Amino acid sequence: MAAAAFEEIVEDFEFLEDWEDRYRHVIELGKAMEGLDAALQVPATKVDGCASQVWLHPSIEGGVFRFDGDSDAMIVRGLIAVLRALYNDLTLSEVGQVDAHAELGRLGLNEHLSAQRSNGVRAMIERIRSVAAAA
């Protein structure tokens, strides 16, 4: 189960033949994403376990989950954009049903991220899931 925006990324990746092109596409997604207001880049929104600095700011309106985020690393901003496409606009119960590892595997991300980046992605996913579960 994935949001429609994530399916668009999957389709884009199908046209990109090598990992370097996909990597550049992830970076472009991050560049296109609106940054998180500096006032929201505080310890409460910071995600521990990431090699770079990462902030996620969730919001829930009418049972629908959304989050914004930012990072000091361009590839991580792109990964945040991918996770936003995966999770934004899902209901709280749908967020808990997403198999993020499998969905990201469809993009080939599991095989191509360094161990530190993979740990950071897991930390972001855990934060997203815990916020949705607590709501």
Side-chain angles (χ1 to χ4, degrees), residues 26-79:
V26 170
I27 290 172
E28 289 302 317
L29 291 171
K31 287 180 180 177
M33 181 180 74
E34 187 173 324
L36 189 62
D37 189 296
L40 297 173
Q41 295 179 12
V42 296
T45 61
K46 191 166 190 219
V47 178
D48 294 323
C50 298
S52 36
Q53 295 199 59
V54 175
W55 300 271
L56 300 181
H57 181 260
S59 65
I60 300 161
E61 294 181 28
V64 175
F65 181 84
R66 292 191 54 79
F67 78 93
D68 294 311
D70 211 338
S71 175
D72 60 348
M74 287 312 299
I75 186 63
V76 178
R77 275 182 59 90
L79 294 170

Side-chain angles (χ1 to χ4, degrees), residues 5-127:
F6 184 78
E7 295 301 332
E8 288 180 29
I9 294 173
V10 171
E11 289 175 16
D12 290 343
F13 267 52
E14 289 173 358
F15 290 105
L16 301 172
E17 295 188 14
D18 65 25
W19 175 246
E20 287 190 21
D21 289 338
R22 292 177 176 191
Y23 190 85
R24 280 192 290 275
H25 185 62
V26 170
I27 290 172
E28 289 302 317
L29 291 171
K31 287 180 180 177
M33 181 180 74
E34 187 173 324
L36 189 62
D37 189 296
L40 297 173
Q41 295 179 12
V42 296
T45 61
K46 191 166 190 219
V47 178
D48 294 323
C50 298
S52 36
Q53 295 199 59
V54 175
W55 300 271
L56 300 181
H57 181 260
S59 65
I60 300 161
E61 294 181 28
V64 175
F65 181 84
R66 292 191 54 79
F67 78 93
D68 294 311
D70 211 338
S71 175
D72 60 348
M74 287 312 299
I75 186 63
V76 178
R77 275 182 59 90
L79 294 170
I80 292 168
V82 169
L83 290 175
R84 288 180 75 223
L86 182 60
Y87 285 107
N88 275 4
D89 299 322
L90 297 180
T91 66
L92 293 173
S93 63
E94 289 171 334
V95 169
Q97 296 172 18
V98 172
D99 182 347
H101 184 74
E103 295 296 342
L104 295 176
R106 294 170 59 201
L107 300 177
L109 290 177
N110 299 338
E111 301 88 38
H112 291 21
L113 294 178
S114 69
Q116 282 185 317
R117 293 280 185 245
S118 293
N119 288 338
V121 169
R122 271 193 295 279
M124 288 187 277
I125 292 166
E126 287 173 18
R127 172 71 65 91

